[in-house]
Amino acid sequence: MDNLKILTPTQLWAGYDPEELPLDISYIGIESREKVTEKKLYFTVDELADGKIRAFMRIVYPAGVNKRLPAVVFLPSVSTLQVSDSFIEEIVGAGYIFATVDYSGYAEGKENHTVYPKSAAECECEKDGYRLCSVKDGDMHHACWFSWTKIVRRAVTLLCSDFSVDKDRIALIGVKDGAQLVWETAGIDNRICAIVPILGCGYNYHKEPRYSDKPEKEMPAELVAFVAALASQSYAKMVTCPVLYEGTTNSEYADVDRIKEILDLAPSENKLMAITARATESIDDVNFKSIIAWLGKIFAGEEITEKAPEIKAYVSEGVMYCSVTAEAKPRSVTVYTAFDQDVPELRNWNEGRSPVMSGEGEYFIDISVPEGTKKVFIFANALYESGILCSTDIKCFDPVKEGVTKFAPVRKNKTRIIFSGSQDSGAFAVENDLFAVAANNLYIKEGPCGIKGIGSTAGWLSTYKLGENKFAGEDGYILQMDVFTSRECSITFSMSTFADDKFRAYSAVRKFPASKRWQRVNFSVADFKDEERVSLKSWKIVRRFEIKDAADVLFNNVLWV
């Protein structure tokens, strides 16, 4: 494009005043309930030649507010239509005002949504298609992200004018696309006191995996201009407020290996990262409660004494060990390892034994490295007494270069057992369509004959074990498992392969009657079919295994026969 200009965020936003235009607030509903008062409203974001952008916003106040309170603005992902009531209750129950603003416009099933004039059709995700980084006429002012960030900044202006809101204590929480808006808003608007980006750490447009040997892809000119003006990492360089980044090890949207990169860019003196292991879409309950605890300290003006732990690997007598150092004594320290998988979303993270503490704040654990391993990935989580969880960054080591000589034999390591009732739940995680799961969502309990199985109260079970050589199926194997359900149900079993940076799902559906006994089910590789009814070719190419539509159903003896 001849008219394409490379703009920095400062140049892009030059001359824009988020407080200049009248808000023209229109209330469409005010409801008082036992513990909260909720307002639904529209306000003006921008005036275009063919009409105004009118944004929809919800604000939920604790009942009986008689002083200015901190406010939390929640920005969901583009695909999220509703905000969890339990999440709102957590925020309001902590004594904060909750607000959420729609930015993605019309979508089927939305009761209320932001209204865009025709000239801003690129902002309507469902009507116009989700244009991640394409820009009309090469002008970054026409990018959907620019308009969406305007909406967030105008929402902050509205909250600052609300007599119930402490305008010096407005925090932003965003998930995926919302996390990018969090980075952009905090980078350019100094009215934000703290941010929590969830599953949004930038670098998701062009980067090869951080530990890959592949060269970086060459970016087309339009993408170069987009990254310079609107990518998260471009705004992180200007974020001075406290940051708590929440991620998952296997996110397809946010590369866990890149979290440290974007945090290192931020000049903020208060920044932490927290990682949920073995998960893709959802952070776990411990990490969710960590957000609430962290915000509590920020809003109270307390010092964040919890610091990011450090992890190191070393070799002694041919065996690899790692040490975790934490300044304040944590309640618990958990070390995770994965092997030989450059692509973060494919790694099978193994939880190590409880590390041994030796000296104040230093923890040690040995790492069993399989024979033939080229790369060892490690990180650790430290949970403090305050409820705040902090993670180390992801480290990668070449075991041979580090001096490892004592490897675990592959044949000895190979197993046909994916899960049995004698194991803990570490093989699986629970995923759902929200960004967080409840503490008791994943459980192991007894079924018939006192035999234990794994299950979940909601969401779906997910594991990456089948992508690791130790647990991978061989040609000719049958996948077998025992199922216990006290209700009639239809369960979807899904095997996903990975190629060209995308997962491809192959599914098999089985119906189960209600029973008081364990029911055995077998699958051949050909039982799993994709959307085009093409069968899975081999167990060896499976990278993720999921069990869906199985709330309160138990599974045991998942194995190859």
Side-chain angles (χ1 to χ4, degrees):
M1 294 182 182
D2 296 334
N3 59 342
L4 189 65
K5 293 182 180 179
I6 306 295
L7 300 175
T8 66
T10 302
Q11 291 170 326
L12 179 69
W13 290 97
Y16 177 74
D17 182 356
E19 299 177 337
E20 182 179 13
L21 197 66
L23 289 163
D24 293 332
I25 300 172
S26 299
Y27 291 96
I28 61 170
I30 300 177
E31 180 183 359
S32 293
R33 300 190 290 275
E34 182 181 357
K35 295 182 180 180
V36 302
T37 297
E38 179 174 343
K39 296 180 181 179
K40 296 180 180 180
L41 56 93
Y42 280 88
F43 65 90
T44 296
V45 176
D46 206 354
E47 290 184 348
L48 306 179
D50 60 340
K52 296 179 179 180
I53 297 177
R54 295 281 288 170
F56 172 70
M57 189 174 186
R58 290 176 64 194
I59 309 176
V60 184
Y61 307 80
V65 176
N66 54 15
K67 63 178 181 179
R68 292 183 181 272
L69 297 177
V72 174
V73 182
F74 178 69
L75 303 170
S77 66
V78 161
S79 59
T80 301
L81 300 184
Q82 298 179 344
V83 180
S84 165
D85 289 338
S86 61
F87 176 53
I88 298 175
E89 290 169 4
E90 287 277 358
I91 298 296
V92 177
Y96 314 138
I97 292 168
F98 173 89
T100 185
V101 60
D102 177 68
Y103 59 91
S104 56
Y106 169 83
E108 187 176 349
K110 268 189 184 178
E111 183 180 356
N112 301 103
H113 61 84
T114 290
V115 179
Y116 292 99
K118 191 174 182 179
S119 62
E122 67 272 7
C123 300
E124 294 268 20
C125 291
E126 187 162 304
K127 284 185 178 179
D128 198 62
Y130 183 20
R131 300 178 179 179
L132 184 63
C133 50
S134 61
V135 181
K136 184 170 61 179
D137 302 325
D139 185 350
M140 295 301 147
H141 295 92
H142 292 159
C144 59
W145 294 101
F146 183 71
S147 294
W148 292 348
T149 305
K150 268 189 184 178
I151 289 175
V152 182
R153 297 187 70 183
R154 291 285 285 168
V156 172
T157 296
L158 189 151
L159 289 173
C160 286
S161 69
D162 189 319
F163 290 113
S164 298
V165 176
D166 182 343
K167 64 180 182 180
D168 295 323
R169 294 189 290 171
I170 298 176
L172 304 180
I173 300 177
V175 181
K176 294 183 179 178
D177 317 278
Q180 180 164 337
L181 296 178
V182 162
W183 284 112
E184 291 178 2
T185 305
I188 206 70
D189 198 319
N190 61 13
R191 296 175 297 174
I192 308 305
C193 81
I195 61 172
V196 183
I198 303 172
L199 299 176
C201 56
Y203 302 107
N204 54 342
Y205 305 114
H206 62 287
K207 289 282 188 179
E208 291 291 345
R210 182 181 178 191
Y211 297 109
S212 169
D213 297 327
K214 296 180 181 178
E216 292 292 349
K217 300 174 184 176
E218 184 176 350
M219 291 192 294
E222 185 180 18
L223 185 54
V224 171
F226 176 84
V227 169
L230 286 163
S232 299
Q233 59 268 31
S234 298
Y235 287 78
K237 300 173 184 177
M238 302 181 290
V239 173
T240 58
C241 66
V243 181
L244 173 60
Y245 182 92
E246 290 282 348
T248 61
T249 53
N250 298 79
S251 172
E252 298 170 46
Y253 189 89
D255 184 342
V256 69
D257 293 344
R258 301 281 181 188
I259 300 174
K260 185 177 185 298
E261 288 187 38
I262 197 167
L263 287 180
D264 283 347
L265 292 174
S268 170
E269 295 180 357
N270 183 342
K271 48 193 178 183
L272 296 171
M273 60 188 283
I275 301 171
T276 298
R278 295 184 293 268
T280 301
E281 295 288 334
S282 308
I283 64 173
D284 64 20
D285 186 68
V286 174
N287 280 269
F288 175 71
K289 291 187 180 303
S290 176
I291 295 173
I292 305 299
W294 184 81
L295 284 174
K297 284 199 168 190
I298 295 294
F299 288 149
E302 297 178 9
E303 180 185 359
I304 303 294
T305 55
E306 295 80 3
K307 305 297 180 184
E310 294 184 2
I311 191 166
K312 297 178 182 178
Y314 64 94
V315 176
S316 176
E317 297 182 353
V319 177
M320 178 169 276
Y321 296 84
C322 79
S323 67
V324 180
T325 306
E327 288 188 16
K329 186 177 180 180
R331 184 190 308 170
S332 64
V333 172
T334 309
V335 175
Y336 297 91
T337 60
F339 307 106
D340 281 342
Q341 184 50 261
D342 292 338
V343 182
E345 53 261 52
L346 301 183
R347 289 181 196 142
N348 178 41
W349 288 95
N350 302 281
E351 183 176 330
R353 301 188 312 277
S354 297
V356 176
M357 189 173 74
S358 177
E360 186 63 29
E362 190 166 12
Y363 300 78
F364 295 89
I365 186 173
D366 62 293
I367 300 172
S368 178
V369 182
E371 193 174 60
T373 298
K374 305 297 183 185
K375 294 177 182 177
V376 177
F377 299 91
I378 61 173
F379 82 96
N381 283 339
L383 178 62
Y384 294 95
E385 293 296 335
S386 62
I388 295 176
L389 184 140
C390 305
S391 299
T392 68
D393 61 320
I394 309 293
K395 298 286 190 182
C396 177
F397 300 95
D398 181 328
V400 175
K401 287 184 178 179
E402 294 293 325
V404 175
T405 57
K406 296 181 179 179
F407 293 91
V410 173
R411 287 185 179 179
K412 184 178 179 181
N413 257 3
K414 190 76 175 176
T415 178
R416 294 194 180 202
I417 301 173
I418 300 166
F419 174 81
S420 73
S422 61
Q423 299 173 348
D424 60 26
S425 61
F428 289 86
V430 173
E431 305 280 0
N432 62 25
D433 293 323
L434 304 175
F435 73 93
V437 295
N440 61 349
N441 217 326
L442 179 66
Y443 57 79
I444 289 179
K445 68 178 184 181
E446 286 189 358
C449 306
I451 299 172
K452 292 181 179 180
I454 190 168
S456 66
T457 57
W460 60 89
L461 292 169
S462 174
T463 182
Y464 292 85
K465 290 184 76 169
L466 274 61
E468 188 174 327
N469 182 63
K470 178 179 179 179
F471 302 100
E474 299 290 339
D475 293 338
Y477 277 8
I478 296 294
L479 178 65
Q480 177 179 285
M481 69 188 75
D482 295 333
V483 179
F484 169 63
T485 175
S486 58
R487 60 179 175 84
E488 183 179 342
C489 61
S490 182
I491 300 174
T492 300
F493 301 85
S494 178
M495 298 285 180
S496 294
T497 61
F498 188 86
D500 300 324
D501 298 329
K502 293 181 180 179
F503 281 99
R504 186 179 187 88
Y506 297 79
S507 300
V509 179
R510 291 288 188 272
K511 294 182 179 180
F512 296 89
S515 177
K516 296 181 179 181
R517 303 186 178 203
W518 290 97
Q519 302 177 60
R520 180 154 293 176
V521 60
N522 294 317
F523 299 94
S524 68
V525 67
D527 289 333
F528 290 87
K529 294 178 171 56
D530 66 10
E531 292 180 346
E532 299 172 355
R533 305 302 297 165
V534 175
S535 296
L536 179 66
K537 302 301 181 186
S538 172
W539 297 122
K540 294 179 180 180
I541 60 175
V542 172
R543 296 294 176 262
R544 182 172 66 198
F545 174 43
E546 296 171 298
I547 304 175
K548 302 181 178 181
D549 308 315
D552 298 319
V553 177
L554 291 179
F555 301 89
N556 183 39
N557 293 329
V558 184
L559 48 85
W560 301 111
V561 294

